[in-house]
Amino acid sequence: MFDYHYQYSLCSVPAWVLGSREFNADPAPLSVHGVRAAHAHFFKKLDNLSNWEERARIFQDYMEVAFHLHQWREKDNVGKLLSIKHSYLRFLRGWLFDADSVEGAVLKGWVESRMGLPPTYHGGRINGKESNAYLAYLKDRMKGSGRTNAIFSQLDLLYEFVQYELGRRDPDTTHITLFRGVHGFYDHELLEWDAKTGKGVVRLNNLNSFTHDFERAWEFGTFVIEARVPVSKIFFDGAFLHAGILKGEEEVLVIGGIYDISRRII
């Protein structure tokens, strides 16, 4: 069994609460301390925009200015590549290709740093902080964030924007049903399982890919699990950014913890 140790949380809920089944059943809003206050003028501007595409464009523009990403962009291709290298977009795209990549380690590192939930899998099962898998994760995390402009602060604002957009669209919704294609539970800790009903309890990795589309989930595994995910634990939803950023991507990145799941069949 995984040797799990919660850490200090920089959000509004302690890590041991945030990672629990009880939180998922009765969730509370989450916010990284200080982010909304530091960018109050940005969120005030969003309040005055009724069109979500315009809000997404303003978010993209604001990120470039606030974190000086535009300074890396030149007219030649080298400048464009440097701009992406220092941008949150690099890490989202890296995750979409491989969640166990350097970029994936940085995103898992953000969850660990802000939410207090350490990863349980990164290229292998992490059995505590002394394990080789955890040390490999730390190496990837340091390599990915070392020469990037305030990447955790960029991800703070990305998360807060997604949470703002979710609340703006439907303030009464507390949960969203999402689907994840899997090949087994090798990268999750299976805590309970009833083979007859296809229902169980798992500790998900601290960050996980899901989708809104049940049919699409089958493209990524031999079976599909369904979870009722608290809105406050949605880190990223590609549908909320400008169409030109990650066009066609349907992944939803979900903060982990202990979840009730159901195995779905066609």
Side-chain angles (χ1 to χ4, degrees):
M1 181 173 290
F2 177 69
D3 181 18
Y4 201 86
H5 296 283
Y6 293 110
Q7 300 184 32
Y8 181 76
S9 171
L10 294 182
C11 71
S12 48
V13 174
W16 65 270
V17 174
L18 191 154
S20 68
R21 293 174 74 187
E22 290 75 15
F23 179 88
N24 286 350
D26 186 19
L30 298 174
S31 183
V32 179
H33 292 318
V35 177
R36 293 278 182 122
H39 301 279
H41 57 297
F42 164 68
F43 287 100
K44 185 176 181 179
K45 187 170 186 177
L46 293 182
D47 288 340
N48 297 322
L49 301 175
S50 59
N51 184 285
W52 80 266
E53 290 186 342
E54 189 173 2
R55 294 195 297 270
R57 180 181 59 79
I58 292 298
F59 168 74
Q60 181 183 3
D61 292 345
Y62 183 81
M63 290 286 278
E64 293 211 357
V65 173
F67 297 102
H68 309 290
L69 303 179
H70 62 296
Q71 293 183 6
W72 297 96
R73 180 172 290 111
E74 306 292 343
K75 293 182 179 180
D76 56 26
N77 289 333
V78 174
K80 292 178 182 179
L81 291 174
L82 282 175
S83 176
I84 290 296
K85 179 180 178 180
H86 289 266
S87 168
Y88 64 103
L89 295 176
R90 165 196 163 190
F91 295 88
L92 293 176
R93 289 170 176 168
W95 175 280
L96 295 178
F97 283 110
D98 181 7
D100 293 325
S101 62
V102 167
E103 292 81 7
V106 171
L107 295 185
K108 293 169 188 174
W110 178 87
V111 177
E112 183 176 22
S113 171
R114 274 34 180 179
M115 305 296 174
L117 304 178
T120 61
Y121 191 92
H122 185 75
R125 178 69 67 88
I126 296 176
N127 294 309
K129 291 192 172 183
E130 302 299 323
S131 66
N132 290 333
Y134 187 79
L135 295 177
Y137 147 73
L138 287 181
K139 182 179 179 180
D140 281 350
R141 171 179 163 177
M142 293 175 64
K143 182 179 179 181
S145 60
R147 290 183 288 179
T148 305
N149 192 19
I151 185 57
F152 276 12
S153 294
Q154 292 186 47
L155 298 176
D156 288 343
L157 192 52
L158 173 65
Y159 171 73
E160 293 291 345
F161 172 71
V162 169
Q163 288 298 306
Y164 173 91
E165 191 66 31
L166 284 163
R168 182 77 180 267
R169 293 186 180 198
D170 193 347
D172 297 325
T173 296
T174 60
H175 294 80
I176 297 176
T177 298
L178 297 174
F179 306 95
R180 174 175 169 82
V182 297
H183 293 286
F185 293 110
Y186 64 91
D187 57 348
H188 305 318
E189 183 182 355
L190 187 61
L191 303 177
E192 298 178 17
W193 184 251
D194 186 333
K196 292 182 178 180
T197 63
K199 297 181 181 296
V201 180
V202 298
R203 188 192 304 277
L204 293 178
N205 205 351
N206 69 347
L207 192 65
N208 310 268
S209 290
F210 279 79
T211 178
H212 294 283
D213 188 343
F214 173 66
E215 297 295 336
R216 182 169 174 78
W218 280 101
E219 299 175 13
F220 300 97
T222 53
F223 66 94
V224 171
I225 60 174
E226 174 186 310
R228 190 166 174 259
V229 176
V231 167
S232 56
K233 294 181 82 170
I234 294 178
F235 166 67
F236 170 75
D237 188 328
F240 285 4
L241 294 188
H242 192 272
I245 295 180
L246 293 168
K247 189 173 182 178
E249 298 297 345
E250 299 176 4
E251 285 198 51
V252 181
L253 302 192
V254 172
I255 295 167
I258 300 177
Y259 280 77
D260 291 276
I261 61 165
S262 299
R263 179 172 177 169
R264 287 288 306 271
I265 59 175
I266 297 177

